[in-house]
Amino acid sequence: MTVTRESAPASQLRLATAGSVDDGKSTLVGRLLHDSKSVLADQLEAVEAASLSRGAEGPDLALLTDGLRAEREQGITIDVAYRYFATARRRFILADTPGHVQYTRNMVTGASTADLTVILVDARNGVVEQTRRHAAVAALLRVPHVVLAVNKMDLVGYEEPVFAAIAEDFTAYAASLGCADVVVVPVSALAGDNVVEPSAHMDWYGGPTLLEHLETVPVGGDPGGDPARFPVQYVIRPPGAEHRDYRGYAGRLASGVLLVGDPVTVLPSGHTTTVAAIDVLGEQRDVAWAPQSVTVRLADDIDVSRGDLIAPAASAPPVTRDVEAHVCHLHERPLRVGARVLLKHTTRTVRALVKDISYRVDVNTLQQRPGAETLRVNDIGRVVLRTAEPLALDSYAANRRTGSFLLIDPADGMTLTAGMAGEAFAVVRTNDAADEDEWA
């Protein structure tokens, strides 16, 4: 059976926004929500009242997204604000992320699951250091699509040469980072030019408006193009004699397609079997695709528990205890060489040791700085980890969902670091005396 995009759930785009302070990002998001008729009447009335109290002549659309009191007072975005809206063509989940370098970690959080990132620049300033930083983070997180919104075109007289120079500068830099799909759109968030409706002031621009591009950019591709990855979240054993032979494994399909009859491997144990049945909302189905939540039943009675990964036998991920990864440190508490942490990967949590910090990335120059002993909040670097138990880990480049993980403080459960795994570079070894000493 072939599964196509038409048979998958309705189209949905996850996007994140980023930009330097005062580039007009919150205004752009507010304009997008307002002009796409995604703002309720009482919300608009509250914004108009707040704008009037601040002496503004019209509604300040930035107030639609700057929800924290500190954000409204300072006129900057601090936290990630999620907004949900829809048009006739697509549903959207928008993560409005902060632009200040102090909140780089917040951009990582918002963009980590995004299909597309909108990066703003002020047409008067062009591509600046923070623009390059945001592009680098988007490239590191493997965001498939990047849009550069050249904002405040009204303040440069809607001049095409200004736009063309910025577009050339950014696309060349993005190409050097490996960003394959980059679209540049000239906009004025304040006036509404090219956000939802085409601009009458830029007849030289023949591309789509921002919303038109968001509605039409391809998302996901063929669900069958990626190998299936099914992290087991819960083992289902219903009570009662009539269900004594029922054993189901519930979870959310992270990627790919599973069909009844598929030969699969359960990792990290390596036991092989076949898919006997798939239950979706209590009904049996022949097929399931990401990101459906399903219950899988297997043909053989083997040991499967929470944290195990069910994958096609022919394309199972490598199993390893040695992990090399790019990370972004999220907590004020530094991450140090020798630190003992918990590593959470899909539904599996294991103990891990920070063996080495290969380098720290200078966020200003994007140069690698070797010899680091710690990573501090907002730092991006490369680390080497050793886990106490084996993990079935894809590289992040191959699978964003099963190639990502979190490092957690075992003492208080605080999330410390977000990680993106590289290629596994060591196979699992049996525990020896050195391993026992390491985890003593």
Side-chain angles (χ1 to χ4, degrees):
M1 177 178 179
T2 301
V3 178
T4 64
R5 202 65 201 168
E6 285 70 28
S7 61
S11 177
Q12 176 177 279
L13 178 72
R14 300 182 70 101
L15 68 147
T17 59
S20 300
V21 176
D22 294 331
D23 278 353
K25 181 169 52 59
S26 293
T27 302
L28 177 70
V29 174
R31 174 64 66 183
L32 184 62
L33 296 174
H34 178 271
D35 288 8
S36 63
K37 306 297 189 292
S38 302
V39 180
L40 299 176
D42 59 339
Q43 291 177 307
L44 187 58
E45 289 174 2
V47 167
E48 290 173 342
S51 303
L52 184 62
S53 68
R54 299 170 68 177
E57 295 182 359
D60 182 357
L61 298 180
L63 297 179
L64 287 171
T65 56
D66 286 341
L68 297 178
R69 181 177 180 180
E71 294 177 327
R72 296 193 299 267
E73 291 175 346
Q74 298 181 55
I76 64 172
T77 301
I78 295 174
D79 199 5
V80 180
Y82 288 93
R83 296 291 180 267
Y84 306 87
F85 67 104
T87 66
R89 305 176 73 174
R90 178 170 279 173
R91 299 192 307 270
F92 301 92
I93 301 175
L94 187 151
D96 184 23
T97 71
H100 198 282
V101 63
Q102 179 182 350
Y103 304 111
T104 299
R105 59 179 174 175
N106 301 68
M107 189 214 166
V108 171
T109 300
S112 61
T113 59
D115 303 303
L116 179 147
T117 296
V118 179
I119 301 175
L120 262 75
V121 298
D122 187 325
R124 298 170 299 177
N125 302 325
V127 176
V128 296
E129 178 183 293
Q130 190 70 341
T131 310
R132 293 186 172 90
R133 182 179 295 111
H134 289 148
V137 170
L140 177 67
L141 294 172
R142 305 274 178 172
V143 179
H145 308 282
V146 175
V147 174
L148 182 73
V150 183
N151 193 24
K152 304 188 180 182
M153 286 296 296
D154 54 313
L155 299 183
V156 294
Y158 298 104
E159 293 292 334
E160 182 181 8
V162 175
F163 168 76
I166 295 172
E168 182 179 2
D169 187 7
F170 182 83
T171 52
Y173 181 73
S176 71
L177 295 172
C179 297
D181 182 25
V182 178
V183 171
V184 188
V185 182
V187 302
S188 170
L190 189 63
D193 294 286
N194 281 341
V195 179
V196 173
E197 300 296 335
S199 172
H201 301 99
M202 292 180 279
D203 52 5
W204 45 263
Y205 173 71
T209 66
L210 177 60
L211 181 61
E212 183 181 354
H213 180 66
L214 297 181
E215 287 181 321
T216 57
V217 66
V219 178
D222 181 4
D226 297 321
R229 298 290 185 261
F230 183 71
V232 176
Q233 185 173 3
Y234 187 70
V235 180
I236 298 178
R237 295 294 305 275
E242 68 274 20
H243 301 300
R244 65 177 179 271
D245 295 328
Y246 187 98
R247 184 191 296 267
Y249 308 103
R252 185 178 184 183
L253 197 58
S255 64
V257 175
L258 270 183
L259 291 94
V260 173
D262 277 352
V264 294
T265 299
V266 179
L267 300 171
S269 68
H271 295 304
T272 58
T273 181
T274 58
V275 177
I278 298 172
D279 300 330
V280 181
L281 298 176
E283 297 182 1
Q284 289 196 31
R285 303 288 173 83
D286 293 329
V287 61
W289 55 81
Q292 282 185 310
S293 295
V294 301
T295 299
V296 174
R297 288 184 275 160
L298 302 178
D300 299 297
D301 188 12
I302 58 180
D303 182 16
V304 182
S305 58
R306 174 181 169 84
D308 288 348
L309 184 75
I310 298 174
S315 55
V319 177
T320 185
R321 286 179 55 200
D322 295 293
V323 180
E324 186 174 359
H326 278 105
V327 300
C328 178
H329 192 59
L330 309 175
H331 202 277
E332 285 78 7
R333 191 179 308 151
L335 183 72
R336 304 181 187 279
V337 174
R340 296 174 184 271
V341 296
L342 297 177
L343 188 155
K344 179 173 174 54
H345 171 249
T346 64
T347 58
R348 187 175 182 84
T349 302
V350 301
R351 292 179 295 154
L353 180 70
V354 181
K355 298 284 288 185
D356 184 43
I357 298 176
S358 305
Y359 56 80
R360 180 182 62 82
V361 177
D362 187 323
V363 294
N364 295 317
T365 65
L366 302 179
Q367 298 297 310
Q368 298 175 4
R369 304 297 185 190
E373 290 294 322
T374 63
L375 291 178
R376 302 187 182 279
V377 62
N378 293 317
D379 278 350
I380 295 172
R382 186 88 170 175
V383 302
V384 178
L385 305 165
R386 173 75 168 166
T387 63
E389 301 171 40
L391 291 173
L393 193 68
D394 285 296
S395 70
Y396 187 80
N399 193 315
R400 294 173 73 195
R401 291 172 179 81
T402 54
S404 57
F405 60 86
L406 295 174
L407 298 183
I408 299 170
D409 191 320
D412 57 14
M414 296 297 294
T415 299
L416 301 175
T417 310
M420 295 143 280
E423 299 290 345
F425 61 92
V427 297
V428 177
R429 302 181 312 186
T430 57
N431 285 337
D432 53 24
D435 289 335
E436 293 174 359
D437 290 341
E438 186 172 56
W439 297 102

